[in-house]
Amino acid sequence: MMIVQNMMQKNVVTIHENETIGTALKLMLESDVRNLPVLDENGSLLGLVTDREVKDASPSIFHQNEHPEDFEKPVSSIMKRATFTAHPFDIAEELSTIFYEHNISCIPVLEEKKLVGLVTEREMLHAFIQLTGTHQPGSHLEVAVPNEAGQLARVASVLKDFHLNISSVLVYPSHNEKEKIIVFRVGTMNPLPVIEHLIDNGYEVKWPPVPGKHHEK
């Protein structure tokens, strides 16, 4: 489990509600950010301005000499309300559903109504990589087991014979409703002995395939 506090941006680039669209664009370019939380005089969050709003504010927003008045409008005129917010102790995995279902680019993190961080798609991707263990050297194993309680513990008991470091465990649904797929990330670059041991113990290894070695039904 990962909490939001451990993955969020802490040094967030923000903008005041009365600042101009031109200032917002300059901040985005200089700080290399796509999202600016908009704050009032008390530091409370009012909304968000993304690069999408800045670009949509005027068809000629990047041609200042044609419509300079567009750059002088306050960001409050184009900001969007922050529909979703998070708390530092929220579970990071739960935020991924919000990103997916609502197609948003960031979620502000509030504590006692004050902005303390920001989670963007980049942080979500980094969190997913850490949770799945793919940033660590090792091997990916997919093992089919009956769809019933206690199977994870049984497979893990087989793996313990090799004294492997298991960096992540995920459970995927199978096209066969009577089984599920347990996915392990294990700390070995040569998983063949582990696979053979699993097969010898009656398990079907979905990935990686081992030529000439089949699970006996």
Side-chain angles (χ1 to χ4, degrees):
M1 181 182 71
M2 181 180 294
I3 60 173
V4 169
Q5 180 175 264
N6 294 335
M7 61 175 288
M8 67 184 186
Q9 297 179 20
K10 294 182 174 67
N11 298 318
V12 183
V13 180
T14 64
I15 191 167
H16 187 271
E17 60 178 320
N18 294 330
E19 295 284 359
T20 65
I21 295 174
T23 301
L25 176 59
K26 184 179 179 181
L27 272 175
M28 287 180 175
L29 294 175
E30 291 180 348
S31 304
D32 191 24
V33 296
R34 297 173 53 196
N35 308 278
L36 290 175
V38 182
L39 308 181
D40 64 12
E41 294 180 354
N42 298 317
S44 298
L45 180 70
L46 295 177
L48 292 166
V49 171
T50 71
D51 57 349
R52 184 183 307 170
E53 280 80 54
V54 172
K55 291 175 183 177
D56 290 346
S58 169
S60 56
I61 194 69
F62 293 105
H63 301 282
Q64 186 173 359
N65 292 333
E66 295 182 20
H67 294 276
E69 67 276 8
D70 290 334
F71 278 76
E72 298 305 316
K73 295 177 181 177
V75 291
S76 58
S77 66
I78 63 170
M79 73 178 184
K80 298 292 180 67
R81 185 171 67 90
T83 307
F84 301 98
T85 60
H87 186 274
F89 293 150
D90 284 347
I91 299 174
E93 294 93 308
E94 294 177 353
L95 293 191
S96 63
T97 302
I98 298 175
F99 275 92
Y100 176 75
E101 292 182 349
H102 299 278
N103 191 29
I104 57 177
S105 59
C106 70
I107 297 178
V109 183
L110 305 181
E111 188 171 15
E112 296 181 355
K113 299 183 179 181
K114 296 295 183 181
L115 182 75
V116 294
L118 192 71
V119 176
T120 70
E121 295 165 305
R122 181 180 178 85
E123 281 77 51
M124 287 306 312
L125 177 59
H126 185 251
F128 177 77
I129 290 172
Q130 289 186 304
L131 289 169
T132 56
T134 52
H135 63 300
Q136 299 178 5
S139 298
H140 175 103
L141 299 178
E142 296 184 11
V143 184
V145 299
N147 190 9
E148 56 188 45
Q151 289 298 320
L152 175 58
R154 290 172 188 152
V155 179
S157 69
V158 175
L159 293 178
K160 76 176 183 179
D161 295 337
F162 288 84
H163 305 287
L164 293 173
N165 178 36
I166 300 176
S167 56
S168 72
V169 180
L170 300 172
V171 180
Y172 293 166
S174 172
H175 66 277
N176 180 355
E177 63 180 17
K178 293 183 179 180
E179 70 177 18
K180 55 188 174 183
I181 309 298
I182 301 179
V183 181
F184 295 92
R185 185 78 181 177
V186 295
T188 178
M189 300 305 293
N190 178 23
L192 183 58
V194 181
I195 295 170
E196 291 178 338
H197 190 54
L198 285 165
I199 293 174
D200 290 342
N201 278 269
Y203 289 100
E204 180 182 3
V205 178
K206 295 285 189 178
W207 187 267
V210 180
K213 192 78 173 179
H214 301 284
H215 167 71
E216 298 295 333
K217 295 288 186 181

